[in-house]
Amino acid sequence: MTFKSREAIRLSDGRELIYFNEEANDWVSYPDTRQLPPPPPTSQLRHDPLLDEWVAVAAHRQTRTFMPPPDACPLCPAKPSFAGEIPAPGYDVVVFENQFPSFSDRVPPDEITEVTGLVPVRPGIGRCEVVCFTSDHGSAFAELPPSRVRTVVDALADRTAELSGRPGVAQVFPFENRGVEIGVTLQHPHGQIYAFPTVPPRTKLMLAAAGRHLARTGNDLYTDVLAAERADGARVIGSNEHWTAYVPAAARWPFEVHLAPHRKVPDLPALSDAERDAFGPLYLDLLRRFDGLFGRPMPYISAWNQAVVGEGRELGYLHLQLFSIRRAADKLKYLAGSESAMGFFVNDIVPERAAQLLREAA
């Protein structure tokens, strides 16, 4: 691990906050001086019988902070004129419980068990955390040094290990939303971690496909996909000793890249020191290529696919999915009827062409 110390405190409403410090300085604990109300109860999960999927209903998220001015950003270090979520006057990487979580362990006492006989209801037991990559409000992940990227990876591995051991957690999902086009509500460089109470639909599909491939061939599906992409090379953006970045042959988004370790591991905690060190330079290069495509900051979603906690864990293969909804300098891909209503994606850019453009991007 690159961080020299890990210090946990409690905010004034009881939520946990953890500092991941890159220097082993004498620790000073700064109190949260705000008077916050108790955190909201967890969401309600309702089961959709038509799709056999769970949907979270979290009405308290309607009141979450939306695009505050820079001098009132809750993710910036505390200052005399404004106290946000982080009490310290400076920090390296910080993780804390989301004030407006989609999932938590705070179950309301009057939780109902069904809406109709076909729609059971259960509490959304899990956890949602915010990950601040830097105290610099005007920065971006692509501007971080590789050493800071390593600290972020170590922090995500720390949280993945801890959250995976919590009762009821099915999968731990770290991700970053970047750009107003994506729908961010805070401009400060940050990501999130969802500890899901049930296996998400995309993961269920991936597990089913991996299981069928294993039964048919005796091989791991993602291992075979990665080997095929590396051998073909037409969609590879870059690689090093431990990682390869490539555009999937059946990419759904205009610009979509998978970044995968060459060694099959289930999740971030399983990465070696060498693999963690090698990730940062390649990922930073990829993000800068995204920004260089159209000479402007690229909106994107960066999503870690990790193995589930329970049944099917052996089928998981850690990889990062990075994609953008921008398809041209002045055009966005909106999910219209085919994608939103039926889940049938239509990509506007041939994946091989997208790979070529990313390789050529400055």
Side-chain angles (χ1 to χ4, degrees):
M1 295 179 292
T2 54
F3 56 85
K4 297 297 192 300
S5 68
R6 178 190 187 279
E7 309 292 345
I9 67 167
R10 291 285 174 179
L11 298 175
S12 66
D13 58 1
R15 290 177 294 126
E16 186 179 26
L17 180 147
I18 307 169
Y19 295 99
F20 293 90
N21 305 311
E22 294 178 342
E23 299 296 331
N25 298 328
D26 291 337
W27 171 246
V28 178
S29 180
Y30 296 91
D32 183 7
T33 59
R34 300 170 298 171
Q35 299 297 317
L36 296 174
T42 191
S43 61
Q44 187 184 84
L45 298 186
R46 299 189 178 195
H47 187 261
D48 180 352
L50 299 179
L51 294 178
D52 190 22
E53 294 177 0
W54 289 93
V55 176
V57 180
H60 60 269
R61 286 177 54 78
Q62 275 283 67
T63 60
R64 66 188 185 273
T65 307
F66 182 79
M67 301 298 282
D71 61 355
C73 173
L75 306 186
C76 285
K79 50 185 180 288
S81 59
F82 180 78
E85 290 283 72
I86 303 168
Y91 64 84
D92 296 324
V93 175
V94 169
V95 178
F96 61 89
E97 286 185 74
N98 198 318
Q99 190 176 13
F100 305 95
S102 299
F103 313 107
S104 76
D105 58 4
R106 300 176 180 91
V107 181
D110 58 345
E111 183 68 22
I112 64 173
T113 58
E114 66 176 24
V115 177
T116 72
L118 292 175
V119 182
V121 174
R122 54 183 270 203
I125 297 175
R127 179 126 152 169
C128 290
E129 298 181 341
V130 177
V131 185
C132 296
F133 308 134
T134 172
S135 60
D136 184 353
H137 181 90
S139 186
F141 201 110
E143 298 174 12
L144 301 178
S147 59
R148 175 57 56 82
V149 177
R150 172 64 197 267
T151 303
V152 172
V153 171
D154 285 343
L156 295 180
D158 176 285
R159 303 312 302 145
T160 295
E162 198 278 330
L163 295 173
S164 296
R166 287 176 170 257
V169 171
Q171 185 180 32
V172 179
F173 172 55
F175 64 99
E176 180 194 2
N177 297 328
R178 192 253 190 135
V180 294
E181 301 91 338
I182 293 294
V184 298
T185 57
L186 295 173
Q187 295 278 38
H188 195 109
H190 73 287
Q192 300 181 63
I193 306 172
Y194 274 26
F196 286 116
T198 184
V199 178
R202 175 181 168 83
T203 302
K204 288 177 100 173
L205 291 173
M206 293 176 70
L207 287 175
R212 291 191 297 269
H213 185 81
L214 179 64
R216 185 172 64 250
T217 68
N219 296 336
D220 177 78
L221 176 56
Y222 200 94
T223 299
D224 285 355
V225 168
L226 178 59
E229 291 289 356
R230 295 182 68 197
D232 181 272
R235 290 167 297 279
V236 172
I237 309 302
S239 65
N240 56 31
E241 181 182 358
H242 296 287
W243 298 80
T244 291
Y246 68 94
V247 176
R252 286 165 166 74
W253 302 96
F255 294 96
E256 177 181 353
V257 176
H258 282 199
L259 185 53
H262 298 161
R263 182 175 67 99
K264 179 184 176 181
V265 296
D267 52 20
L268 289 163
L271 290 173
S272 68
D273 280 338
E275 288 165 335
R276 296 184 190 199
D277 283 339
F279 169 78
L282 186 56
Y283 183 49
L284 290 172
D285 176 73
L286 188 59
L287 291 179
R288 291 161 186 162
R289 289 178 184 277
F290 263 54
D291 285 349
L293 273 173
F294 304 115
R296 57 192 296 188
M298 190 75 138
Y300 64 72
I301 292 174
S302 179
W304 281 106
N305 288 259
Q306 303 197 94
V308 295
V309 173
E311 182 180 358
R313 181 171 175 80
E314 73 284 356
L315 298 172
Y317 192 124
L318 174 73
H319 61 281
L320 184 76
Q321 180 195 22
L322 175 71
F323 63 92
S324 178
I325 61 173
R326 185 170 295 285
R327 59 188 177 90
D330 58 348
K331 296 182 178 70
L332 298 177
K333 176 180 177 61
Y334 295 100
L335 296 189
S338 178
E339 293 95 350
S340 292
M342 298 304 293
F344 199 119
F345 275 71
V346 180
N347 195 347
D348 304 291
I349 299 179
V350 177
E352 290 74 18
R353 175 59 176 164
Q356 179 187 359
L357 291 171
L358 284 167
R359 285 194 296 265
E360 294 173 352

